[in-house]
């Protein structure tokens, strides 16, 4: 190996970051466009915040004030007049920037302030299959309303947004609960240690994966998993563990309506064990249910589920999580579970970090990149296949004007077209057009030009016929999808092929 070769950098993308081409980009842009249309129809204003925020604005994502780079990607700004350089970080989500924006502009904003946002977010976490450090999210939030109807509206709009993104009825469900249910249960059970509460909630968050037995162990002394790893438990009293188990089991009876789940939860909490906060949670959920019913949101699209706790250090009231119900498979045809594709809830303390005054807020966010991947894994990505431009084949430098005229006519008619600008022969050019996903190739050889004609090859028809014909001689004899027409018919014939 020469010194020059050994000094060449290896062409590679950073771990957790992905290159995306036409099909992936088309899928994400389609989802964002359709969901944005829903948000605007519901009266939400678009807002775009910078990719960077000052790191102290990100709150709980700051593990180290001296170098806040765990969980976020951070860098130090140029020193100010006093020689101090503040840390900036790429946004972790769209909610923290909203809180900063609302606090900064509160006096001039309409209240409540309703906004939606979309774009990439960055997380400095360990990447893995389907888990990236850069991905797109799409959010909608209402800041300044403490009414349960604001939560209900966000949930109902989330349902409509998921439909617009391509999920039909029965293909996704939004599960709803309220963090105050567990706050009340812990209060009534005398559990005051924040760490103990957090450990218990983390155990509940694993309910769908570990089941009641696994959660019971994590609520108690701890659990040894199949790999031999031991997870320390919350060490709750048996009475509190029993109440939590009753909570979790209350919503599992098939066919329960949202109101039925609330009745079951209320009955499952033994007398005096729901607490004042829990009673308040039930009232808020009942109000959400009434609003959802008034908006015509079905019991199948939105269900109440006390096992939903998400955002353990973030949400203060209602919480919701969107779950994909479609059957999905990986590239090898093996069944995979995508599970959560979005979620949200009420976060009444985020803006107050800046202002010192409680400002109620609620919102919903879904992963655009994740949803696009899920739809493709469910075999629903055909509409995102990128169709390339019509390709004009080049035969001779002397006839370049004819080729340029042809692509100019097509473009002027609103038809994407390109002139082949490599130096390969006819066969390679046709292969190029096929790889580009071109619907048609325009052929202007010497004979066509002399006769005032053009040959148009319908590549879509050719692909379809070639897939059905095993005899190569028969394929050649049929000359699939190729026709020679008068030169002035170019645009009309190409348009008929595309449409």
């Amino acid at each position: 190996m020469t010194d020059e070769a050994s000094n060449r950098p290896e062409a590679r993308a950073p771990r957790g970051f992905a290159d995306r081409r036409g099909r992936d980009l088309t899928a994400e842009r389609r989802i964002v466009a359709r969901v944005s249309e829903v948000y605007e129809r519901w009266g939400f204003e678009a807002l775009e915040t910078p990719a960077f925020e000052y790191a102290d604005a990100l709150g709980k994502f700051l593990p180290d004030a001296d170098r806040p780079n765990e969980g976020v990607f951070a860098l130090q700004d140029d020193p100010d007049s006093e020689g101090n350089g503040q840390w900036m970080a790429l946004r972790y989500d769209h909610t923290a920037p909203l809180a900063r924006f609302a606090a900064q502009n509160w006096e001039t904003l309409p209240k409540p302030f309703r906004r939606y946002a979309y774009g990439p977010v960055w997380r400095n976490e360990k990447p893995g299959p389907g888990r990236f450090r850069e991905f797109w999210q799409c959010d909608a939030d209402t800041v300044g309303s403490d009414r349960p109807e604001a939560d209900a509206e966000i949930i109902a709009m989330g349902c409509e947004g998921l439909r617009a993104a391509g999920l039909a009825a029965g293909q996704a469900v939004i599960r709803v609960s309220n963090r105050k249910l567990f706050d009340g249960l812990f209060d009534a059970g005398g559990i005051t240690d924040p760490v103990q509460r957090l450990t218990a909630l983390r155990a509940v968050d694993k309910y769908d994966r570990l089941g009641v037995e696994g959660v019971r162990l994590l609520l108690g002394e701890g659990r040894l998993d199949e790999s031999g790893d031991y997870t320390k438990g919350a060490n709750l009293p048996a009475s509190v563990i029993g109440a939590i188990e009753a909570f979790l089991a209350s919503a599992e009876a098939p066919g329960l309506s949202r109101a039925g789940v609330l009745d079951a939860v209320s009955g499952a909490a033994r007398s005096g064990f729901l607490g004042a906060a829990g009673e308040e949670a039930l009232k808020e959920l009942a109000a959400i249910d009434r609003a959802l019913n008034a908006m015509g949101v079905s019991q199948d699209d939105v269900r109440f589920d006390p096992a939903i706790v998400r955002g353990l250090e973030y949400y203060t009231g209602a919480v919701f999580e969107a779950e994909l119900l479609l059957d999905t498979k990986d590239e090898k045809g093996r069944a995979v579970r995508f599970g959560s594709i979005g979620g949200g809830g009420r976060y009444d303390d985020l803006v107050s970090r800046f202002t010192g005054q409680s400002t109620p807020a609620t919102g919903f966010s879904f992963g655009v990149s994740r949803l696009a991947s899920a739809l493709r894994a469910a075999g629903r990505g055909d509409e995102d296949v990128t169709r390339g431009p019509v390709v004009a084949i080049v035969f001779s430098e002397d006839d370049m004007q004819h080729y340029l005229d042809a692509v100019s006519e097509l473009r002027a008619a609103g038809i994407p077209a390109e002139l082949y600008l490599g130096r390969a022969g006819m066969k390679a050019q046709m292969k190029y057009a096929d790889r580009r996903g071109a619907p048609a190739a325009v052929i202007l050889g010497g004979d066509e030009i002399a006769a005032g004609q053009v040959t148009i090859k319908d590549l879509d028809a050719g692909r379809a016929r070639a897939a059905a014909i095993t005899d190569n001689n028969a394929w050649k004899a049929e000359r699939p999808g190729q026709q020679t027409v008068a030169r002035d018919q170019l645009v009309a014939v190409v348009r008929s092929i595309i449409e």
Side-chain angles (χ1 to χ4, degrees):
M1 180 180 296
T2 65
D3 289 342
E4 180 182 355
S6 64
N7 290 329
R8 291 173 185 160
E10 179 185 351
R12 66 203 188 280
R15 289 192 315 125
F17 296 84
D19 298 313
R20 296 173 299 160
R21 293 184 64 189
R23 180 172 181 173
D24 294 329
L25 294 174
T26 298
E28 294 185 6
R29 288 171 181 170
R30 173 181 57 80
I31 290 173
V32 166
R34 292 181 180 178
V35 174
S36 296
E37 186 178 311
V38 171
Y39 290 166
E40 291 186 2
R41 190 165 64 247
W42 284 64
F44 283 70
E45 170 190 336
L47 173 68
E48 183 175 292
T49 58
F52 276 94
E53 294 283 341
Y54 281 118
D56 59 4
L58 301 181
K60 73 186 186 70
F61 303 117
L62 280 179
D64 184 348
D66 294 327
R67 186 170 180 80
N69 61 350
E70 183 179 332
V72 296
F73 291 98
L75 58 85
Q76 200 164 20
D77 198 2
D78 294 333
D80 56 21
S81 58
E82 297 179 358
N84 299 316
Q86 297 187 65
W87 282 94
M88 301 187 301
L90 285 170
R91 62 181 176 228
Y92 186 96
D93 61 12
H94 292 292
T95 310
L98 169 63
R100 186 270 305 160
F101 174 85
Q104 189 175 358
N105 298 278
W106 192 243
E107 294 303 319
T108 61
L109 290 177
K111 304 173 188 64
F113 178 56
R114 300 152 66 90
R115 84 89 176 87
Y116 76 91
Y118 58 82
V121 297
W122 296 267
R123 299 188 179 180
N124 189 3
E125 299 172 346
K126 184 178 181 180
R131 187 181 184 90
F132 295 96
R133 288 169 165 169
E134 178 186 37
F135 52 93
W136 274 57
Q137 285 187 328
C138 189
D139 293 29
D141 297 78
T142 297
V143 182
S145 174
D146 63 357
R147 298 180 65 94
E149 290 81 4
D151 299 305
E153 183 182 58
I154 288 288
I155 295 166
M157 188 173 64
C159 289
E160 189 171 327
L162 291 172
R163 291 279 173 84
L167 292 171
Q171 295 178 340
V173 61
I174 296 182
R175 303 185 188 278
V176 180
S177 186
N178 193 306
R179 287 291 300 278
K180 295 176 185 176
L181 283 174
F182 281 97
D183 288 342
L185 187 149
F186 292 145
D187 290 344
I191 310 301
T192 58
D193 181 6
V195 175
Q196 194 176 20
R197 288 189 176 207
L198 188 60
T199 304
L201 289 174
R202 285 176 175 155
V204 172
D205 199 35
K206 297 180 174 65
Y207 181 63
D208 63 337
R209 182 166 58 88
L210 300 181
V212 64
E213 181 59 34
V215 171
R216 181 187 299 119
L217 293 172
L218 290 176
L219 293 173
E221 293 184 358
R223 176 178 178 271
L224 185 69
D225 65 23
E226 296 176 354
S227 68
D229 289 337
Y230 182 77
T231 303
K232 187 178 179 181
N235 284 309
L236 297 180
S239 58
V240 178
I241 294 176
I244 291 177
E245 289 183 23
F247 260 38
L248 299 179
S250 62
E252 293 195 340
L256 276 182
S257 65
R258 291 188 291 262
V261 171
L262 296 184
D263 289 340
V265 169
S266 180
R270 295 191 297 274
S271 177
F273 224 86
L274 195 57
E279 295 289 354
E280 184 179 354
L282 290 179
K283 291 179 181 177
E284 291 175 359
L285 289 171
I288 289 173
D289 183 41
R290 289 193 296 272
L292 290 174
N293 291 333
M295 288 184 283
V297 179
S298 79
Q299 302 288 332
D300 292 328
D301 286 343
V302 177
R303 302 173 193 167
F304 287 163
D305 183 350
I308 301 300
V309 295
R310 63 177 293 116
L312 302 181
E313 300 176 40
Y314 199 85
Y315 295 111
T316 58
V319 286
F320 16 97
E321 186 163 276
E323 179 187 355
L324 185 73
L325 301 179
L326 279 174
D327 292 330
T328 51
K329 297 180 180 179
D330 64 14
E331 296 176 352
K332 296 182 179 180
R334 297 171 300 194
V336 294
R337 181 178 180 273
F338 269 83
S340 176
I341 51 175
R346 176 160 290 280
Y347 52 98
D348 290 346
D349 297 334
L350 206 56
V351 178
S352 67
R353 292 184 58 250
F354 300 93
T355 63
Q357 300 176 349
S358 180
T359 305
T362 184
F364 176 81
S365 170
F366 70 88
V368 177
S369 307
R370 185 171 179 80
L371 180 54
S373 298
L375 290 172
R376 190 161 55 250
R380 299 276 301 282
D382 289 347
E383 65 179 308
D384 300 318
V385 174
T386 303
R387 200 170 203 189
V390 173
V391 175
I393 305 300
V394 172
F395 293 93
S396 167
E397 297 285 341
D398 296 335
D399 294 325
M400 190 62 70
Q401 185 65 54
H402 294 280
Y403 312 143
L404 290 170
D405 287 345
V407 294
S408 295
E409 285 180 35
L410 292 169
R411 290 167 183 163
I415 298 172
E418 71 165 281
L419 176 65
Y420 178 78
L421 294 176
R423 296 188 179 276
M426 170 75 170
K427 184 177 180 181
Q429 291 186 56
M430 293 303 300
K431 187 174 183 180
Y432 169 83
D434 189 55
R435 285 185 172 178
R436 290 283 280 129
V442 173
I443 299 172
L444 281 165
D447 292 342
E448 283 91 356
I449 293 172
Q453 296 177 322
V454 60
T455 297
I456 301 168
K457 191 156 190 172
D458 184 341
L459 297 180
D460 285 343
R463 294 182 192 104
R465 289 189 179 182
I469 298 175
T470 56
D471 186 337
N472 194 47
N473 291 327
W475 184 85
K476 289 181 179 179
E478 287 198 22
R479 298 175 63 82
Q482 181 168 302
Q483 54 183 310
T484 300
V485 299
R487 174 64 180 77
D488 61 4
Q489 295 297 305
L490 169 64
V491 170
V493 173
V494 169
R495 179 172 280 123
S496 69
I497 289 172
I498 293 174
E499 295 178 352

